[in-house]
Structures are given as C-alpha cells and as structure tokens.
C-alpha cells in the first residue's frame, strides 16, 4: 500500500465514522461480508486495484458501510478481531466453494478451524432442537471437542454419525447459503 492509498483510506474511514480521527474511528467498524471476484476486477476504497477478495465493513455506531475494501486495508485498522474476521470469512468462502464443488467435507483442519466453528455458532447455525436437548451451545461444544481430538481413532461410530449429520444438516447448508459469503 502506498502512502497515498493509506491517506485515501484514512479520509474515507474518517468521513464515514462518528469519530473524527482514524485512530479512534477504526474501533467503530466490523467486517460483515466477503465477495470474491476471481478475475481481480475489484477496486478498494483506497484506490488499490485488482482485488479478488472484497470485504464490506459496517460502522456499528452509524450504520455506514464501506465496500469494497481489501484485506490489506482492513489490516491497517490494527485490530486483531478484524484480522480474525477477514481470515474466518476467507476460510469460510473457501469452504463454501468446496461445498458447491461437491467435495466431501470432514471435520478436519483441511476445512475447519476453531474460529470457523465458532462463526456458525455465533451466527445461529445451531438452532435449539430435540437433538441438542434445546441447547444450541451443546452442538457447538460437541463439534469443537471432536475437532480438538488429537487421535481421531478415539471418535466412536456414534460420534462420527453425529458429526456427519451436524455437518450435513446444519453447518454446510448454513455456510453454503449465508448472505455474508458471495
């Protein structure tokens, strides 16, 4: 990013924020959507061209949105939580592509991370139902526990079946159809 691009980013963010300076304004924003243009047709609000991954960020104080913004610009906000949002949405978009390509998705680090399991939980992918005794968090905790097992041979057939059903009927359709991933 050039100095001019960074100055443009600062001006755009400050103009759309409640706070008047970039240092404070960056705390008003969160990443809400990711759109991919494989041909690199996107142009960031800072002027950077040839973006493939274009994020939308939303100001939680005034509702303003900035699109498209590249991951490098989001990184200039200097916030680990935003960097994590960029990483998770990028990984979820890759998972979505694998789903749409009909690949066999398993609960492994090839397709998931702990943060990628937390995102669907936070977004409501695990409704309270008869399978989790009315407690959606149980589904999330179960998947994280299974994901964390060092020795996957310790997972019982019953647990494997539950993982399969949860991925097939909850997680994968949720990721495939989520409006934040385009």
């Amino acid at each position: 990013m050039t100095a001019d691009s960074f100055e443009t980013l600062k001006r755009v963010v400050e103009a759309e924020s409640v706070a008047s300076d970039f240092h404070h304004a960056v705390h008003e924003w969160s990443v809400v959507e990711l759109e991919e243009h494989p041909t690199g047709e996107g142009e960031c609000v800072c002027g950077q061209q040839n973006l493939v991954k274009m994020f939308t960020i939303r100001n939680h104080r005034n509702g303003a949105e900035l699109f498209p913004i590249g991951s490098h610009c989001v990184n200039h906000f200097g916030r680990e939580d935003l960097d994590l949002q960029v990483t998770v949405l990028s990984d979820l978009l890759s998972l979505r592509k694998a789903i749409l390509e009909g690949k066999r998705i398993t609960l492994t680090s090839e397709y998931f991370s702990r943060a990628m399991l937390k995102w669907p939980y936070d977004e409501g992918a695990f409704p309270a139902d008869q399978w989790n005794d009315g407690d959606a968090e149980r589904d999330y905790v179960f998947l994280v526990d299974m994901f964390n097992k060092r020795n996957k041979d310790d997972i019982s057939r019953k647990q494997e079946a539950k993982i399969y059903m949860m991925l097939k009927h909850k997680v994968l359709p949720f990721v495939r159809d989520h409006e934040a991933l385009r």
Side-chain angles (χ1 to χ4, degrees):
M1 171 178 264
T2 67
D4 287 342
S5 296
F6 182 65
E7 289 304 316
T8 300
L9 173 67
K10 284 176 51 176
R11 279 194 305 276
V12 170
V13 169
E14 289 169 353
E16 297 295 329
S17 299
V18 174
S20 57
D21 66 282
F22 185 75
H23 176 73
H24 290 96
V26 297
H27 297 286
E28 299 176 12
W29 297 88
S30 56
V31 180
V32 295
E33 189 173 288
L34 169 58
E35 183 175 323
E36 185 175 57
H37 282 263
T39 57
E41 298 171 19
E43 182 177 335
C44 182
V45 296
C46 78
Q48 172 70 37
Q49 296 183 354
N50 305 317
L51 294 181
V52 173
K53 293 182 179 176
M54 301 182 307
F55 295 88
T56 300
I57 60 173
R58 183 176 299 135
N59 187 306
H60 64 86
R61 293 192 61 199
N62 64 14
E65 288 189 354
L66 293 177
F67 172 83
I69 186 164
S71 59
H72 291 289
C73 281
V74 175
N75 291 338
H76 280 291
F77 282 46
R79 290 180 38 206
E80 288 181 23
D81 62 323
L82 288 184
D83 295 345
L84 180 62
Q85 290 172 358
V86 165
T87 299
V88 168
L89 282 176
S90 295
D91 291 346
L92 285 164
L93 188 61
S94 295
L95 174 61
R96 182 176 181 268
K97 281 184 195 175
I99 294 166
L100 294 174
E101 291 170 1
K103 292 185 178 177
R104 184 174 182 270
I105 310 297
T106 57
L107 188 64
T108 63
S109 59
E110 178 180 2
Y111 294 108
F112 292 96
S113 66
R114 286 172 199 83
M116 284 179 62
L117 291 171
K118 181 139 178 43
W119 184 84
Y121 170 68
D122 289 343
E123 291 288 311
F126 304 115
D129 59 26
Q130 66 190 25
W131 309 109
N132 57 30
D133 295 327
D135 183 0
E137 187 176 14
R138 290 184 73 188
D139 286 343
Y140 165 68
V141 169
F142 171 77
L143 284 178
V144 170
D145 287 347
M146 296 297 105
F147 179 79
N148 286 339
K149 283 195 180 277
R150 289 189 190 269
N151 185 356
K152 300 300 184 190
D153 292 335
D154 290 343
I155 298 175
S156 71
R157 285 183 182 235
K158 184 177 177 182
Q159 290 170 324
E160 285 178 1
K162 184 174 180 177
I163 292 167
Y164 173 80
M165 295 305 285
M166 288 178 66
L167 291 179
K168 182 178 179 182
H169 294 289
K170 292 183 179 183
V171 177
L172 301 183
F174 189 82
V175 170
R176 180 194 64 221
D177 301 333
H178 200 283
E179 61 191 28
L181 306 168
R182 299 188 288 148

